[in-house]
Amino acid sequence: MRVTFRILRYDPERDANPHFESYPLELDDRAVVLDGLVQIKDFADSALTFRRSCRQAICGSCAMRVNDREHLTCSTQLSEVVRDGTVVVEPLANLPVIKDLAVDMEQFWRKYRAIMPFLIPDRAKPAPEKEYRMANKEARHLQQFGGCIQCGACYSSCPIAATDEEYLGPAALAKAYRFAGDPRDSARRERLKIVSDERGIWRCHTVFNCTEVCPKGVEPTYAIQQLKKLTIRRRFGLPV
Amino acid sequence: MLRHDVVIVGAGLAGLRAAVTLGDLPGVDVAIISKLHPLRSHSGAAEGGINAALTPDDRWEDHMYDTVKGSDYVSDQDAVEVMCREAPAEVYWLEHAGTLFNRADDGTLAIRNFGGAGRPRTAFVADITGHALLHTLYEQTVARGVKVYEEWFVTELVVENEQVKGLVALDVMTGELHQVAAKAVIMATGGYGRVYHGRTTNAWSSTGDGMAAAYRAGVPLADMEFVQFHPTTLKSNGVLLTEGNRGEGGYLLNSLGERFMSKYTPTKMELGPRDMVSRAEIIEINEGRGVDGCVLLDIRHLGEAKIMERLPGTRELSMHFAGVDPVYEPIPVRPGQHYAMGGVRTDLNGVTVVKGLYAAGECACVSVHGANRLGANSLLDTLIFGRRSAEHAYEYVKNVPPPEASESYLQREEDRTRAMLGREGTESIAQIRNEMGLEMADNMGVFRTPEQMQHAVSAIRELKERVKDAPVQDKGRIFNTDLTGALEIENMLELAEVISVGALARTESRGAHSRLDFPDRDDVNWLKHTLAFRGEGGPRLEYGPVTITRFQPEERKY
């Protein structure tokens, strides 16, 4: 397949502004977007900068914007995204660019840390000698949200994150639900308090972008609505 | 100069487990240095599960026996015993820390079958177990506020008088080199799969940096010739499909539609150990019963519901990378490099010959896997020995004064990287990397002849020369991945040489090391560990004894 990669390049040591550069490539019909980037780095310009590691859609390194939509470049077939023989690759939005396609994710991780992203069992009760019992159905339900790879695709696609740097964003909120919904967790009240303000769940406009672009089927929109439901039930004094 | 009591290099499962352990202990200043954000580590790509004797009918002694037999008897049985004894408590610890394991009907942990095991003993999270454990452990380091230097690339260890004093690392974001003083350093940098570039399940980042740094610092690498080839990898890009596919009942078929494993491991069928299944596949393919250079993995009979509950990743990967939906079609697979049984030689507390230097996980050789690792023992290995290394290091640093090391190490690394940036010539790092991968795949693969191995040794030495003329094109300081690529290729070529030289010297077939000229195991001469020390002009090989406690070597049949 003949395809032209148009890549948004930016070298902070040389460029005042980002600019597009084009690379005509010949790639296998089953090639993924990352194959094109690797070919450019290997044989055209080894300064081209991007993150990639597992190339099997699990490490979360290589999320980028491809033809105006977020994708993991390692698992996105070129044939799915190519338009008029061209693929436009840009860094994730809503995060500062370091160089070319690599963004500084500190803002994203700060929000990850803000939601207490760890299980808090009830310290007042002794832990069981073996495992906590849990229904497989419950475990499977939470696995959907635990399956988040923190790639940042949702954060880049979110129109709220675009305008409000303090919005917790879809990934962190989905992570919050993963723990708030865990029967082993004892901190649900505190978790709901963290997420239920104007920087949290109530700021979500239910646009569904995050759910549409998520490469792992996490559905942050669903998680955010569950957190809202739990918050309202608590407010009415109903069991949560 | 930055200072910490303990610095952990690498933030996969072994490194994070060490960090959590030290995070719970009072009065010790610990930091992680990793060339990736911890959640990008390759531990996250592990799929099938983690072994532990959890069920009432299972015993750690049985787990130990299966592991020792799987290793082709060249594992150290004291280490295997430690791992298998401590396994159940470790799995329950993970569950208490939040891992969302699949469950049985009574709410206890679900258990699946895995290769080379006498009974089902693999706990799992769908087929993303590594991902689930990596995230759990990272969460626990966040809970403990462990300092992480993200995207810092360790270029060299600081070792004086056979004692570690710290390390030098490149902050990739700024391009600045830093010397970090440490009383103890735990290497947890994972495997070297990219030595088999193009034919490995491993990530781009699995370049064996920690092994190479320890080797340069005078620590022997053990048993590097034992390279695991996983039987079910995709032809297109080498991605792994979990052994769980066969654990859940999947078949391996040849072009005649036969379940050919009946000829090779009749009592275990598709659940033979990986070395044997990979050999069987190559024989079938070489004898003309392959399908376009592959055999077929067939899970259709499991049905869509079970595939979606227990093997969703297999479906996703097959559809993305092979254009095959395994609910309706068998998947073409072939053996691919997967795991390093060899690595930095340690004892069962991660201790190396250099004082204060530890290693754990895939970068170490304790040795619990010997010549062939059993599936679902690697996650266990990282956790048990990550924790034990940290516990030992904690005691060690109590009695060590703050290290005083000269800053000449920093200067040396600055000179080295500057020289790389100034290098001239017409060679290309990418080209050399591709050639190295092909050379190792073709000549250091599942079956080995002396001619092939000799070819590999010569070719790798030639590449080591050529890389000196491969310039780093990116001259910038900020986020220079061209420079880190140059550091990685030097590490990989060093390891490729050790693998090849070690393999050529071992004149027997054992586990994953299978020679056509010496097809049998030779316990009289070769029931021993290879120890490769870095010498002038290449590795110098010595040999060390194998610890045998409970199980005497027997013929290995399944």
Side-chain angles (χ1 to χ4, degrees):
Chain A
M1 179 189 342
R2 294 186 72 83
V3 56
T4 299
F5 271 62
R6 275 175 56 75
I7 298 180
L8 193 62
R9 300 292 305 265
Y10 172 64
D11 180 346
E13 294 170 87
R14 283 198 321 212
D15 303 328
N17 291 302
H19 61 282
F20 280 99
E21 280 183 31
S22 291
Y23 304 87
L25 300 178
E26 181 70 44
L27 289 158
D28 187 88
D29 284 349
R30 293 205 55 83
V32 293
V33 175
L34 183 62
D35 293 332
L37 297 177
V38 168
Q39 193 176 112
I40 295 165
K41 187 168 181 66
D42 280 358
F43 300 110
D45 183 357
S46 59
L48 179 65
T49 300
F50 53 92
R51 293 190 183 95
R52 81 279 180 265
S53 191
C54 76
R55 56 81 173 90
Q56 61 183 78
I58 196 73
C59 79
S61 298
C62 71
M64 298 173 207
R65 285 175 56 80
V66 181
N67 281 352
D68 302 320
R69 182 192 184 276
E70 287 71 18
H71 290 274
L72 286 183
T73 59
C74 73
S75 62
T76 302
Q77 303 275 331
L78 273 174
S79 55
E80 288 169 26
V81 290
V82 68
R83 275 202 304 250
D84 304 326
T86 301
V87 166
V88 178
V89 187
E90 299 168 86
L92 288 183
N94 305 337
L95 294 165
V97 175
I98 301 169
K99 183 173 173 183
D100 292 340
L101 301 167
V103 294
D104 182 349
M105 292 190 74
E106 179 45 34
Q107 184 188 127
F108 178 83
W109 297 123
R110 179 161 55 79
K111 293 165 186 180
Y112 172 96
R113 292 191 296 267
I115 56 93
M116 299 197 304
F118 39 85
L119 191 77
I120 303 178
D122 191 346
R123 301 286 179 210
K125 293 183 201 152
E129 191 187 329
K130 296 184 171 180
E131 67 273 66
Y132 289 95
R133 299 290 178 103
M134 192 193 294
N136 195 42
K137 206 176 147 201
E138 260 178 320
R140 296 276 301 137
H141 172 66
L142 292 174
Q143 278 174 12
Q144 177 185 342
F145 308 99
C148 172
I149 58 175
Q150 306 295 335
C151 67
C154 58
Y155 194 85
S156 169
S157 77
C158 175
I160 310 304
T163 55
D164 183 353
E165 210 178 287
E166 294 308 309
Y167 175 49
L168 283 171
L173 291 171
K175 187 88 178 168
Y177 174 63
R178 174 256 171 275
F179 289 109
D182 194 314
R184 299 168 293 182
D185 194 73
S186 67
R188 181 179 276 180
R189 176 177 289 267
E190 209 178 338
R191 294 184 188 285
L192 293 178
K193 199 161 167 254
I194 292 171
V195 300
S196 66
D197 69 7
E198 70 276 20
R199 305 299 192 199
I201 48 179
W202 306 112
R203 195 85 173 82
C204 169
H205 285 204
T206 336
V207 184
F208 280 86
N209 279 9
C210 53
T211 294
E212 280 170 24
V213 302
C214 176
K216 303 304 286 185
V218 172
E219 299 187 307
T221 314
Y222 179 88
I224 293 168
Q225 302 320 306
Q226 291 303 306
L227 288 170
K228 287 181 184 172
K229 189 169 92 180
L230 290 172
T231 306
I232 290 171
R233 288 184 67 89
R234 192 165 68 99
R235 182 69 190 265
F236 279 124
L238 297 165
V240 294
Chain B
M1 199 182 298
L2 294 163
R3 285 185 176 277
H4 297 283
D5 292 329
V6 184
V7 171
I8 298 161
V9 185
L13 288 180
L16 292 176
R17 188 66 182 89
V20 170
T21 302
L22 286 161
D24 280 339
L25 294 169
V28 60
D29 171 12
V30 57
I32 297 172
I33 297 185
S34 171
K35 69 175 180 177
L36 303 170
H37 183 281
L39 293 180
R40 311 304 183 214
S41 304
H42 193 55
S43 295
E47 296 173 7
I50 178 166
N51 286 335
L54 300 171
T55 54
D57 60 337
D58 203 359
R59 305 182 313 148
W60 67 261
E61 292 91 339
D62 297 345
H63 182 190
M64 177 180 171
Y65 172 74
D66 290 341
T67 300
V68 170
K69 182 179 173 186
S71 80
D72 222 348
Y73 294 93
V74 74
S75 52
D76 290 310
Q77 294 186 17
D78 52 347
V80 181
E81 177 168 337
V82 157
M83 180 175 83
C84 297
R85 263 181 191 274
E86 296 180 2
E90 189 66 25
V91 172
Y92 292 133
W93 181 87
L94 289 164
E95 198 277 334
H96 294 173
T99 304
L100 290 160
F101 286 104
N102 280 45
R103 304 288 169 153
D105 289 342
D106 62 357
T108 58
L109 303 184
I111 298 293
R112 69 165 37 136
N113 253 314
F114 240 62
R119 64 169 70 80
R121 70 165 63 92
T122 304
F124 61 96
V125 181
D127 55 1
I128 55 163
T129 311
H131 165 85
L133 299 189
L134 180 68
H135 281 250
T136 297
L137 279 166
Y138 180 63
E139 290 155 18
Q140 294 300 315
T141 61
V142 170
R144 288 162 178 78
V146 176
K147 166 80 182 166
V148 185
Y149 295 91
E150 288 164 20
E151 298 186 316
W152 281 41
F153 189 113
V154 172
T155 65
E156 205 65 307
L157 290 167
V158 174
V159 174
E160 286 174 349
N161 305 322
E162 289 173 24
Q163 182 175 358
V164 79
K165 301 280 180 73
L167 47 77
V168 179
L170 174 73
D171 177 355
V172 178
M173 177 88 95
T174 64
E176 217 175 314
L177 282 157
H178 297 269
Q179 189 165 334
V180 184
K183 296 178 187 175
V185 174
I186 301 175
M187 301 305 268
T189 56
Y192 55 63
R194 282 284 149 175
V195 164
Y196 287 78
H197 186 87
R199 288 294 291 278
T200 176
T201 63
N202 286 193
W204 280 92
S205 52
S206 298
T207 53
D209 308 309
M211 288 186 202
Y215 180 59
R216 282 194 298 268
V219 182
L221 300 180
D223 295 344
M224 292 289 278
E225 61 273 28
F226 298 125
V227 180
Q228 180 159 82
F229 298 88
H230 193 289
T232 58
T233 75
L234 290 178
K235 189 179 178 183
S236 56
N237 64 353
V239 158
L240 170 74
L241 300 183
T242 174
E243 190 166 290
N245 285 292
R246 288 169 285 137
E248 297 291 348
Y251 300 146
L252 289 172
L253 305 175
N254 61 18
S255 63
L256 307 174
E258 296 167 339
R259 289 178 66 190
F260 58 86
M261 286 312 298
S262 63
K263 291 181 281 183
Y264 303 93
T265 53
T267 66
K268 289 264 187 275
M269 292 298 288
E270 282 84 356
L271 288 174
R274 289 175 178 173
D275 57 337
M276 292 186 174
V277 180
S278 285
R279 279 197 288 277
E281 290 182 1
I282 296 291
I283 291 168
E284 292 296 310
I285 293 165
N286 287 350
E287 292 183 355
R289 294 184 297 277
V291 179
D292 194 20
C294 293
V295 296
L296 298 173
L297 172 64
D298 191 353
I299 58 171
R300 288 175 296 179
H301 55 285
L302 303 182
E304 183 169 353
K306 189 167 185 183
I307 291 172
M308 288 315 291
E309 185 193 328
R310 296 193 161 201
L311 303 163
T314 291
R315 191 179 190 194
E316 186 187 315
L317 296 170
S318 303
M319 290 172 76
H320 279 317
F321 300 121
V324 168
D325 183 346
V327 171
Y328 304 107
E329 289 171 88
I331 317 154
V333 294
R334 63 177 181 179
Q337 192 283 345
H338 182 56
Y339 186 82
M341 270 75 75
V344 179
R345 184 61 174 153
T346 73
D347 72 4
L348 27 110
N349 294 311
V351 173
T352 71
V353 298
V354 169
K355 263 183 284 178
L357 182 66
Y358 297 77
E362 191 176 348
C363 94
C365 180
V366 184
S367 150
V368 285
H369 309 304
N372 175 65
R373 174 174 69 77
L374 290 192
N377 266 351
S378 61
L379 297 184
L380 182 61
D381 166 17
T382 62
L383 299 165
I384 299 293
F385 294 102
R387 174 172 52 71
R388 292 176 66 94
S389 298
E391 287 165 351
H392 196 279
Y394 179 70
E395 295 301 324
Y396 169 80
V397 298
K398 279 181 183 170
N399 303 313
V400 175
E404 298 300 332
S406 93
E407 292 213 23
S408 65
Y409 292 88
L410 180 63
Q411 187 60 49
R412 207 173 66 189
E413 291 306 289
E414 276 172 355
D415 293 346
R416 181 159 82 108
T417 49
R418 197 176 300 114
M420 280 177 157
L421 289 167
R423 212 150 59 186
E424 288 178 8
T426 54
E427 294 288 352
S428 136
I429 290 168
Q431 179 69 25
I432 288 170
R433 181 199 70 210
N434 292 351
E435 285 185 34
M436 170 188 66
L438 274 178
E439 180 65 33
M440 295 299 281
D442 289 348
N443 292 322
M444 285 304 250
V446 173
F447 288 106
R448 299 162 177 182
T449 68
E451 294 77 23
Q452 285 178 313
M453 291 184 282
Q454 190 58 61
H455 193 279
V457 172
S458 310
I460 295 300
R461 288 185 171 155
E462 194 187 307
L463 292 174
K464 280 179 87 172
E465 286 303 310
R466 282 172 53 193
V467 82
K468 294 174 184 166
D469 298 319
V472 175
Q473 306 283 3
D474 188 343
K475 308 297 182 195
R477 289 183 70 79
I478 294 173
F479 222 90
N480 190 336
T481 51
D482 202 10
L483 176 61
T484 51
L487 293 163
E488 288 171 341
I489 187 75
E490 293 198 351
N491 290 339
M492 287 192 285
L493 287 168
E494 196 84 85
L495 300 178
E497 186 185 20
V498 178
I499 294 165
S500 308
V501 169
L504 191 56
R506 185 177 281 273
T507 50
E508 64 158 353
S509 288
R510 183 186 297 271
H513 176 59
S514 200
R515 289 177 70 129
L516 294 179
D517 56 338
F518 291 93
D520 299 321
R521 196 174 81 192
D522 176 0
D523 285 340
V524 175
N525 296 302
W526 288 103
L527 188 57
K528 57 189 181 186
H529 295 294
T530 306
L531 298 171
F533 294 82
R534 192 160 186 261
E536 288 301 313
R540 176 172 54 79
L541 300 184
E542 293 182 12
Y543 292 91
V546 174
T547 305
I548 293 171
T549 57
R550 289 170 182 256
F551 304 112
Q552 289 304 313
E554 287 171 4
E555 190 191 358
R556 192 160 157 258
K557 273 177 130 171
Y558 291 91

